[in-house]
Amino acid sequence: MEVNQMQRSFLEYANVLFREGFLDGQFSQLQMLADESNPDFVVEVVSLFFEDSQKLLNDLTTTLDQQNVNFKKIDAHIHQLKGSSSSIGAQRVKNACIAFRNFCDQQNVEGLSFGSSITFAFLFQLEQQIVAAGGAIPILSEFS
Amino acid sequence: MGIDCSSEELHVLAVDDSLVDRKVIERLLKISCCKVTTVESGRRALQLLGLDGEKSSVEFDELNVNLIMTDYSMPEMTGYELLKKIKGSSKLCKIPVVVMSSEKVMSRIDRCMEEGAEEFLVKPLKLTDVERVIDFILRGGDKNEKKITTSRKRKTMMMHEDFDSSSSQSSSNWEQPYQKRPKIAQN
């Protein structure tokens, strides 16, 4: 009972997320892939995305805190995050990644710190929106 | 969706270092009535295909796959390097390989096509992309048929209303139907 209700309200709320620019057309693609045999597909992928993204951003932060920053590694992390956010249609997160990747080329550590904070904020924001819609995504742990 | 999957099922090996992308492509392929195996690296893929040189353990039977779909940008072994190894192997060279990438770099596309890739798909993948590829493989990879499916794809592209201001990902996979290009001088 609860699952179907959650799915419904989540999917209805997704329209709000589209309008507000949190999500783009790729998210609709994912919605098309859920059916009676796999009703939880969207929730599963989105959960995976949040887990994966949090880990990536944490790794990125750790790398940034090093004495000698490994910019190649950071670029790889951002590339990964950009890719997965693009695959699920998390538009703001994706655009944030595209924007702050430039700081990597410039080897701008402050810019990268700032960029990753913003990206994390967008991520958190998206997750909050989904939880508000009853999407039952696990809460991201505190960003330290 | 009620798709009848009773007819021939292709077995596809999907290679991608991104967990999220593996999940998505697995679903895309299953919806397209394929049996799917996903792995996270080229090395692992070669192991499963029985091409890893080290014939250590035989804990699993070698996979029999009809199609390999691989991400381009992967650590250690790129999709291009994996493609080369597959096409360079007498055992595996007949398996069609499709390369996927979030970055639409023409030199990259050319390189892959010249190395024998069947298709180069730009991420994020859509269901129509996967359906088109499967359709092509099921038809036995007839190059003439490719034109028909590509124009079907263009019609579908026009129905989709997605936009992306970033230059690295355009809303359509390519502006015109991709056909095997003549060898172009590389710099």
Side-chain angles (χ1 to χ4, degrees), chain A:
Chain A
M1 180 267 301
E2 282 109 4
V3 175
N4 285 335
Q5 271 182 356
M6 267 181 355
Q7 288 302 311
R8 239 196 320 270
S9 62
F10 169 55
L11 294 175
E12 279 161 12
Y13 198 71
N15 288 329
V16 175
L17 299 180
F18 280 115
R19 275 205 313 274
E20 298 301 313
F22 285 99
L23 298 175
D24 64 28
Q26 182 61 18
F27 190 78
S28 328
Q29 285 289 315
L30 292 194
Q31 288 177 293
M32 277 165 42
L33 303 183
D35 60 17
E36 309 81 45
S37 63
N38 279 267
D40 297 331
F41 174 69
V42 177
V43 171
E44 283 167 13
V45 178
V46 173
S47 298
L48 210 57
F49 167 69
F50 283 126
E51 275 175 44
D52 199 44
S53 304
Q54 182 180 14
K55 185 175 178 302
L56 273 170
L57 279 167
N58 286 339
D59 286 348
L60 202 151
T61 310
T62 307
T63 312
L64 269 176
D65 284 342
Q66 308 291 323
Q67 278 281 27
N68 295 315
V69 180
N70 185 339
F71 290 101
K72 201 165 162 219
K73 205 166 163 195
I74 292 188
D75 190 69
H77 286 322
I78 302 175
H79 175 81
Q80 272 257 25
L81 184 55
K82 186 193 100 174
S84 54
S85 54
S86 162
S87 292
I88 73 148
Q91 185 173 252
R92 280 194 189 178
V93 177
K94 179 191 77 175
N95 288 340
C97 290
I98 291 170
F100 91 98
R101 201 174 181 182
N102 290 324
F103 291 133
C104 241
D105 299 331
Q106 298 161 15
Q107 304 210 338
N108 181 343
V109 174
E110 269 172 20
L112 286 169
S113 279
F114 176 68
S116 63
S117 301
I118 297 289
T119 307
F120 202 104
F122 283 159
L123 200 61
F124 195 69
Q125 204 179 27
L126 176 62
E127 197 206 36
Q128 288 296 296
Q129 298 289 355
I130 290 174
V131 167
I137 308 291
I139 302 276
L140 286 176
S141 56
E142 281 301 312
F143 177 53
S144 54

Side-chain angles (χ1 to χ4, degrees), chain B residues 111-128:
Chain B
R111 213 183 323 145
C112 289
M113 298 308 288
E114 277 166 25
E115 200 59 43
E118 294 304 317
E119 275 257 20
F120 188 100
L121 297 177
V122 177
K123 285 177 165 183
L125 292 194
K126 298 179 171 32
L127 188 54
T128 47

Side-chain angles (χ1 to χ4, degrees), chain B residues 6-170:
Chain B
S6 57
S7 53
E8 48 185 319
E9 234 190 23
L10 290 186
H11 185 180
V12 183
L13 176 65
V15 189
D16 201 314
D17 59 320
S18 158
L19 189 50
V20 170
D21 285 356
R22 282 202 300 278
K23 178 129 182 122
V24 172
I25 196 172
E26 182 187 49
R27 184 76 190 127
L28 286 169
L29 287 167
K30 284 197 166 142
I31 281 213
S32 307
C33 296
C34 295
K35 182 174 171 220
V36 191
T37 302
T38 58
V39 292
E40 63 177 17
S41 70
R43 209 181 117 253
R44 189 84 183 108
L46 292 175
Q47 266 179 1
L48 290 187
L49 293 166
L51 198 70
D52 66 341
E54 0 160 331
K55 298 284 181 185
S56 42
S57 62
V58 199
E59 36 183 273
F60 32 66
D61 293 323
E62 285 169 9
L63 283 187
N64 264 323
V65 301
N66 308 110
L67 168 65
I68 296 168
M69 294 185 72
T70 179
D71 187 30
Y72 184 95
S73 315
M74 296 188 290
E76 290 174 15
M77 188 188 299
T78 66
Y80 174 67
E81 286 160 356
L82 176 60
L83 168 68
K84 273 179 80 169
K85 287 207 153 65
I86 291 167
K87 292 301 169 185
S89 143
S90 49
K91 183 172 164 182
L92 303 174
C93 60
K94 289 213 161 53
I95 306 177
V97 180
V98 168
V99 180
M100 314 175 274
S101 175
S102 57
E103 288 159 333
K104 186 177 154 190
V105 178
M106 288 319 293
S107 57
R108 186 181 282 191
I109 298 176
D110 287 341
R111 213 183 323 145
C112 289
M113 298 308 288
E114 277 166 25
E115 200 59 43
E118 294 304 317
E119 275 257 20
F120 188 100
L121 297 177
V122 177
K123 285 177 165 183
L125 292 194
K126 298 179 171 32
L127 188 54
T128 47
D129 295 328
V130 172
E131 285 174 341
R132 191 179 86 232
V133 167
I134 300 302
D135 195 42
F136 178 69
I137 302 295
L138 282 175
R139 285 166 192 260
D142 183 344
K143 299 286 191 273
N144 287 326
E145 294 289 347
K146 204 172 185 178
K147 281 201 189 133
I148 300 165
T149 48
T150 316
S151 60
R152 193 162 14 115
K153 156 83 176 153
R154 283 173 103 195
K155 251 200 259 170
T156 339
M157 265 163 32
M158 294 192 293
M159 289 183 335
H160 284 297
E161 190 208 327
D162 49 302
F163 62 93
D164 195 302
S165 53
S166 126
S167 55
S168 63
Q169 288 177 57
S170 57

